[in-house]
Amino acid sequence: MNIKHPEHPYILGSPKKTSYVKPENPKNPDQSDIGTGTTANSEKDLRLRLQKSGELNASLELLVEQRTSKLVEIVSTNGKFLTIIAHDLRSPFSAIIGILELLKLSLKELNKDEIEEYVNIVYNSANNTLVLLDNLLEWAVSQNVEKTFKPVKINLYELLQEQIENLKTLANQKQIAISHSVEQGLNVTADLQMVKTILRNLISNAIKYTNSFGRIQVTALEDKKFVEISVTDNGIGISAENKNKLFKIEAFHSTSGTNDEKGTGLGLMLCKEFVEPHGGNISLQSEAGKGSRFSFTLPHYI
């Protein structure tokens, strides 16, 4: 008995093959080159990216070159700086040791005037060395001025009186008169240690480059925002050529004082470093043989 099974496309028999014919799509003239256009756009985009990448690489190479050049300059400058400092520290210590040795061996043979002369030489050498060491410590502090800068209200009259008193012995040795015309109630807003350093360096420099029996005058002019403090001397002055070398660490310019006092020029660089955070400036007016006037500005206390 033969039983006919109904055909089922999923269970019995083989499914009928159905052919698929892709429907015709009339050619659209606007889309006929879409594949070619996409490829062209991709290549153009790639070229633009490569161009930008090349420009970026060139900029980075230039930046690296500039930074490397600056680093080499800093290392070279610091090396020169340390060499000068080491020399300027060694010289006064050598003089101090030599004179003390002479005094030790010949003290009984020397008269009072000779002993006083040697003691004065030792004192000057020791004082100059101390100033240099102070400046070195303050220079190290100035390299991180953002953290050390602490402006407060300062009575300029009292601070100036203090600094002149501290330098009186140095001035008296050359019989130099120091005076000022700053009013007692004049106040500025500034970092105390920085202003002390500025005044000490400018006044001690004036003493160094003023002949015996000379004079130094400190003045202050006020306006609404700033106070201009000036230290004026009638000393040996500064030539036009040497003016351009001041306030620059790479120049390390310094000349001997009227009593052959030594220095590195570090003090003036410190003055510039310490005036700038206050929003002020420092300037010089001088003529060789006629004295100098250093001026700097600080914010007026309001």
Side-chain angles (χ1 to χ4, degrees):
M1 181 175 171
N2 295 323
I3 302 175
K4 292 184 177 181
H5 296 279
E7 291 185 2
H8 193 288
Y10 300 104
I11 301 175
L12 300 175
S14 299
K16 293 180 179 180
K17 295 182 178 179
T18 304
S19 60
Y20 174 75
V21 179
K22 182 178 180 182
E24 291 186 6
N25 185 17
K27 195 172 183 180
N28 186 340
D30 295 334
Q31 297 179 352
S32 59
D33 296 327
I34 190 168
T36 305
T38 301
T39 302
N41 288 337
S42 298
E43 291 177 354
K44 184 178 180 181
D45 184 58
L46 179 59
R47 284 196 300 270
L48 287 173
R49 290 186 181 183
L50 288 173
Q51 182 181 352
K52 289 181 179 179
S53 178
E55 292 173 354
L56 179 60
N57 286 337
S59 298
L60 288 174
E61 288 176 2
L62 179 61
L63 180 61
V64 169
E65 184 180 345
Q66 291 173 343
R67 294 288 175 86
T68 301
S69 176
K70 186 66 176 177
L71 183 60
V72 169
E73 180 184 347
I74 290 171
V75 171
S76 175
T77 300
N78 285 344
K80 181 181 178 182
F81 176 73
L82 291 173
T83 300
I84 293 173
I85 293 299
H87 176 270
D88 284 351
L89 282 174
R90 180 178 178 81
S91 296
F93 276 119
S94 297
I96 291 170
I97 292 171
I99 292 173
L100 289 177
E101 185 176 5
L102 177 64
L103 286 172
K104 181 180 178 181
L105 296 174
S106 309
L107 186 60
K108 294 180 180 180
E109 302 172 6
L110 298 173
N111 59 43
K112 182 180 178 181
D113 291 338
E114 290 173 326
I115 293 173
E116 185 176 352
E117 180 183 355
Y118 287 134
V119 168
N120 283 335
I121 295 173
V122 171
Y123 172 83
N124 287 332
S125 295
N127 188 72
N128 290 336
T129 306
L130 180 60
V131 169
L132 178 56
L133 288 172
D134 284 341
N135 282 338
L136 279 174
L137 290 172
E138 288 156 358
W139 178 260
V141 170
S142 75
Q143 303 311 295
N144 198 6
V145 70
E146 294 84 0
K147 292 184 178 180
T148 58
F149 182 59
K150 298 177 181 178
V152 296
K153 177 183 176 182
I154 299 174
N155 184 288
L156 191 59
Y157 173 89
E158 294 176 358
L159 182 60
L160 185 56
Q161 287 280 97
E162 175 189 307
Q163 294 306 305
I164 291 176
E165 186 65 28
N166 291 341
L167 293 167
K168 184 179 289 186
T169 302
L170 197 63
N172 287 344
Q173 287 187 334
K174 298 172 74 172
Q175 300 186 52
I176 293 173
I178 305 177
S179 61
H180 76 85
S181 57
V182 177
E183 297 181 2
Q184 293 189 20
L186 180 56
N187 297 314
V188 294
T189 303
D191 183 286
L192 181 59
Q193 293 305 319
M194 289 183 180
V195 179
K196 281 184 178 181
T197 300
I198 296 168
L199 289 173
R200 186 189 71 236
N201 276 290
L202 292 183
I203 296 173
S204 62
N205 265 8
I207 295 171
K208 182 187 297 184
Y209 297 110
T210 298
N211 290 306
S212 296
F213 305 102
R215 61 184 182 276
I216 297 169
Q217 174 74 18
V218 183
T219 59
L221 296 176
E222 303 177 61
D223 63 22
K224 292 182 179 180
K225 292 185 177 181
F226 285 92
V227 176
E228 183 183 66
I229 302 102
S230 298
V231 179
T232 306
D233 64 66
N234 63 343
I236 60 177
I238 303 169
S239 67
E241 179 185 358
N242 289 334
K243 282 182 189 178
N244 297 326
K245 299 178 182 179
L246 300 178
F247 307 115
K248 297 179 181 179
I249 188 169
E250 64 271 15
F252 295 107
H253 176 73
S254 181
T255 56
S256 297
T258 55
N259 276 6
D260 201 33
E261 301 99 324
K262 305 297 181 184
T264 61
L266 178 60
L268 287 180
M269 287 184 280
L270 269 177
C271 291
K272 182 176 183 294
E273 291 280 343
F274 287 165
V275 167
E276 289 178 347
H278 295 89
N281 59 72
I282 186 166
S283 60
L284 164 65
Q285 293 177 331
S286 183
E287 186 176 345
K290 295 186 178 181
S292 302
R293 177 177 181 174
F294 285 89
S295 301
F296 66 98
T297 54
L298 295 173
H300 199 295
Y301 178 80
I302 301 175

